Amino acid sequence: MKTESKRQTNISEERDTLWIIDQDHTTIRFFAKHLIISKISGIFKSFEGKVKSVGNDFSTAEIEFKAEVKSLDTGKKERDTHLLSEDFFKASKYPHIHFISTSIRRINSKEFEVEGDITIKDVKKSILMNVHLGGITIDPSGQERAGFSMSAWVNRFDFGLNWNNVMDTGGAIVGEKIDIECDVEIVKRN
């Protein structure tokens, strides 16, 4: 297995190719444990992102992504309202979640580890994402596209998302670990 050492991806002028996230063909999901026995999931409906790379070499990529917090949807309006409130995201004060890559390590031709800084509320922390390149193709209208699946996790307490109640059995109603899974399609712009 070929690996490349981590390197900073901060020399934008070397990157000649711009890719934009296609919102219509991208899903940003999150999962939290509920009562320790099951998971509750949600999505973000409004987001934007871009990738700069040297040609189609994604090991050279710079990635920037922003999600609108108020667009979160767990399928239950009351829960969404609670998540947007002062108990969790404080969406009126902190309207976005922001991610910027800091390094990429190629595992093989389809697998990468992407390290970056995620900012939730006013807290910035480094996270590691496992990324799988599904492929690159030309769509029926002649646009070049690339598809990826990604996974990561964060500890919500690290970002001040501290609300919780404890059950009589001692377990928390909402788990502290939040799993993130994304299926992302990007479109080449130049």
Side-chain angles (χ1 to χ4, degrees), residues 42-137:
I43 62 169
F44 288 97
K45 292 181 167 182
S46 182
F47 48 85
E48 59 186 38
K50 61 184 176 183
V51 177
K52 287 183 174 180
S53 62
V54 176
N56 291 356
D57 180 1
F58 291 109
S59 70
T60 67
E62 288 180 338
I63 303 162
E64 184 172 5
F65 172 82
K66 188 184 290 187
E68 186 179 332
V69 173
K70 287 183 180 178
S71 75
L72 71 78
D73 183 357
T74 66
K76 185 165 172 62
K77 186 175 173 73
E78 296 82 10
R79 180 171 44 229
D80 296 347
T81 300
H82 190 205
L83 287 171
L84 297 174
S85 76
E86 298 290 312
D87 285 340
F88 286 99
F89 283 104
K90 296 183 184 178
S92 60
K93 185 173 182 179
Y94 305 106
H96 297 103
I97 294 172
H98 195 216
F99 174 82
I100 297 178
S101 64
T102 55
S103 68
I104 296 179
R105 184 170 77 94
R106 180 196 301 271
I107 306 300
N108 58 46
S109 65
K110 299 274 187 183
E111 307 291 329
F112 303 86
E113 286 183 342
V114 175
E115 191 169 346
D117 293 328
I118 190 168
T119 304
I120 300 173
K121 293 171 74 170
D122 59 349
V123 179
K124 181 180 0 178
K125 295 276 186 184
S126 180
I127 65 168
L128 184 66
M129 299 183 72
N130 296 308
V131 179
H132 174 79
L133 171 62
I136 301 171
T137 192

